[in-house]
Amino acid sequence: MKILLLGCQGQVGQELQLTLPSLGAVVAWDRTHLDLTNLESIVPAVVNQQPDVIVNAAAYTAVDKAESEPDLAHQINTAAPEKLAQAATVCGASLVHISTDYVFDGQQNRPYQPEAETNPLGVYGHSKRDGELAIQANTEQAVIFRTAWVYGAKGKSNFVKTMLRLGAERDELGVVYDQVGTPTWAYDIAQAITMLIPHLQNNFGVYHYTNNGAASWYDFAVAIFEEARKLGHPLQLSHVQPIPSEQYPTPTPRPAYSVLAGDKIAKVINQTAPHWRASLRKMLKEYL
Ligand SMILES: NC(=O)c1ccc[n+]([C@@H]2O[C@H](COP(=O)([O-])OP(=O)(O)OC[C@H]3O[C@@H](n4cnc5c(N)ncnc54)[C@H](OP(=O)(O)O)[C@@H]3O)[C@@H](O)[C@H]2O)c1
């Protein structure tokens, strides 16, 4: 099997570089190999590789900045995935595309199933939702793999790394308590995608995968500090204050509740996702 991985230097992409080779030959591309804003180059470049599976971990992920760069977000998250789907059709490849809980408005109070109605709140969410639709319009051999609240030891800054930095600098910190989701370790996402790929035939469609359980950003922050302390990591912080979202305004509103139901993928890969706190502990052991 030949797998073409896009976005190989991202949080999830770096983990996929380690897990996908168990399935076959992996060609791993970052922006220097293929810039996804160069739309006309995408189909010829991908078709030239003749992959069996394309895994797209590349995306425009700056949620708030997207409000001031809607065209760029649309190019990378909608127009480029559309081209990837066209390329997949030309070479008969399957496409695994990562998407997000931000396609939902967060008004539900029970976990979102993959077929739940989407209603994104901001430019980023719209660009990702439109990318899903563009893929579905251009190939039947696609998996839309939605995940949420991603963090990892590798790659860019994320909530865990930011909390550790602030916890080392400050005595007190306010963290939002009225947004609930599921923190998800990039390593677990890569494992799940790698377990899903052998089952792709007859199982195309939309999947939800996150770690198990649910937490607010406040719960997540408290857990980060508790687990970091247990590992002997020095922190100055003595108090975490739960605050409402209106005390931490952002350019893009976030869904209040975006827990994703993972039963569908669990059945296909025959494995339940680890609890978010267990995975946080493992990530911190790797990172600290
Ligand atoms: N992060 C989250 O909390 C979260 C939550 C839900 C879903 N997701 C989804 O999960 C997937 C992976 O996210 P992540 O956290 O691993 O993202 P990430 O760390 O930001 O990685 C995204 C990668 O995409 C690459 N990229 C951006 N623009 C590109 C372009 N024009 N051409 C080629 N490559 C480009 C980036 O390269 P550069 O470094 O060169 O820009 C980066 O390596 C994405 O689909 C994202 O939407 C993420």
Side-chain angles (χ1 to χ4, degrees):
M1 185 190 293
K2 181 174 181 183
I3 303 172
L4 176 61
L5 168 63
L6 302 167
C8 72
Q9 292 303 328
Q11 296 192 89
V12 178
Q14 289 197 46
E15 301 291 354
L16 283 165
Q17 282 200 64
L18 300 176
T19 56
L20 289 176
S22 65
L23 299 174
V26 178
V27 175
W29 281 356
D30 64 15
R31 186 193 288 269
T32 60
H33 302 93
L34 178 64
D35 184 337
L36 293 175
T37 60
N38 191 353
L39 292 174
E40 294 317 310
S41 68
I42 295 175
V43 174
V46 171
V47 170
N48 188 43
Q49 289 292 325
Q50 287 294 307
D52 300 300
V53 182
I54 303 162
V55 179
N56 183 27
Y60 181 104
T61 54
V63 176
D64 288 320
K65 209 171 162 203
E67 298 298 319
S68 53
E69 294 183 335
D71 292 345
L72 186 59
H74 181 274
Q75 269 187 0
I76 298 168
N77 291 347
T78 307
E82 179 174 30
K83 296 287 183 191
L84 291 176
Q86 290 168 0
T89 299
V90 172
C91 44
S94 306
L95 172 60
V96 179
H97 173 79
I98 307 177
S99 193
T100 171
D101 56 327
Y102 283 12
V103 299
F104 297 117
D105 61 17
Q107 292 307 301
Q108 218 169 266
N109 55 12
R110 60 187 187 285
Y112 282 89
Q113 293 291 342
E115 62 277 8
E117 198 179 327
T118 59
N119 184 29
L121 298 177
V123 168
Y124 167 76
H126 269 104
S127 70
K128 293 292 289 185
R129 195 271 309 269
D130 292 351
E132 294 182 359
L133 296 175
I135 287 171
Q136 287 163 336
N138 282 276
T139 176
E140 290 178 354
Q141 296 202 156
V143 157
I144 306 292
F145 182 102
R146 294 193 190 120
T147 188
W149 292 32
V150 180
Y151 66 91
K154 307 175 183 74
K156 65 173 189 182
S157 186
N158 55 47
F159 187 78
V160 177
K161 293 178 183 176
T162 302
M163 286 301 112
L164 291 172
R165 179 174 52 77
L166 294 176
E169 291 168 8
R170 298 198 195 166
D171 296 324
E172 268 198 41
L173 202 57
V175 183
V176 167
Y177 70 80
D178 54 2
Q179 292 167 27
V180 173
T182 310
T184 302
W185 188 21
Y187 171 88
D188 291 330
I189 296 171
Q191 291 287 346
I193 289 174
T194 304
M195 291 176 80
L196 182 60
I197 286 174
H199 301 282
L200 284 182
Q201 294 303 328
N202 306 322
N203 282 308
F204 296 112
V206 182
Y207 288 86
H208 284 174
Y209 179 88
T210 62
N211 280 131
N212 244 312
S216 68
W217 292 111
Y218 168 79
D219 298 328
F220 189 22
V222 169
I224 292 164
F225 296 131
E226 285 178 0
E227 297 295 342
R229 280 206 170 93
K230 278 190 211 161
L231 291 170
H233 185 69
L235 292 168
Q236 186 174 323
L237 194 86
S238 57
H239 181 61
V240 187
Q241 176 73 26
I243 59 168
S245 296
E246 62 250 34
Q247 281 182 30
Y248 188 76
T250 51
T252 316
R254 267 53 174 179
Y257 178 91
S258 63
V259 177
L260 303 180
D263 1 352
K264 181 178 168 187
I265 191 167
K267 273 190 200 125
V268 175
I269 65 173
N270 199 22
Q271 190 164 300
T272 311
H275 192 269
W276 67 264
R277 184 138 182 166
S279 288
L280 169 65
R281 217 172 284 139
K282 288 184 182 166
M283 177 272 186
L284 288 172
K285 273 189 190 147
E286 176 186 342
Y287 182 63
L288 293 176

